[in-house]
Amino acid sequence: MPWRNSGFLQEIMLAITLAGAVIMGFVAKILAEIKSGERDKFFTRRLLLDVPAMVVMFAIAAGISERYGLVGWQSSGLGVIAGYVGPRSIDIMLMAVADRVRGGK
C-alpha cells in the first residue's frame, strides 16, 4: 500500500511522538514543582495557562528538529527537554544573557 510508505504518514507519526515527548517533559516539570512545594496539586487553574505554553514548546521542538534533521530518539529527547524547560525557563535564561551583555550582574 503506497500510503504506508509516504512521507506524510511518517511526518504525522513524528508529530505525535514529539507531542507525547513534550507532554511527558511538561508533566515531569509539574510533578517536580509539586514535590518542591511551588504547586499544591496537579489540576489547578495554572495548568490551564500552561497548556498553550506546552503547544508553543511543541512547535519550537518541531522547528528545531526539522532545522537540524533530528529523527527518532534525538527528536524525542529534544521534545522532553523543551517540555521540561518550558517558556518561563527560556525567558529567565534569555534575560540573564541580556543582563550580561548589557553589563549587569
Side-chain angles (χ1 to χ4, degrees):
M1 290 181 219
W3 60 270
R4 287 188 178 178
N5 297 326
S6 70
F8 180 70
L9 181 63
Q10 292 175 355
E11 292 291 325
I12 290 174
M13 292 305 294
L14 176 63
I16 290 170
T17 304
L18 190 57
V22 170
I23 290 170
M24 287 176 15
F26 187 70
V27 168
K29 175 69 172 177
I30 291 174
L31 294 176
E33 288 177 355
I34 291 171
K35 187 174 182 179
S36 69
E38 292 179 44
R39 288 186 190 225
D40 295 333
K41 53 187 177 177
F42 188 83
F43 293 106
T44 61
R45 290 185 184 191
R46 183 176 170 192
L47 181 65
L48 293 176
L49 295 174
D50 286 339
V51 170
M54 181 182 60
V55 172
V56 169
M57 295 314 294
F58 164 70
I60 290 172
I64 293 172
S65 294
E66 183 68 28
R67 168 65 176 95
Y68 291 107
L70 302 177
V71 294
W73 288 106
Q74 297 90 3
S75 181
S76 296
L78 178 67
V80 170
I81 291 169
Y84 188 83
V85 169
R88 284 183 300 246
S89 299
I90 292 174
D91 184 44
I92 290 169
M93 287 186 278
L94 289 176
M95 293 307 294
V97 169
D99 286 343
R100 185 168 283 207
V101 168
R102 290 183 200 134
K105 292 183 177 181

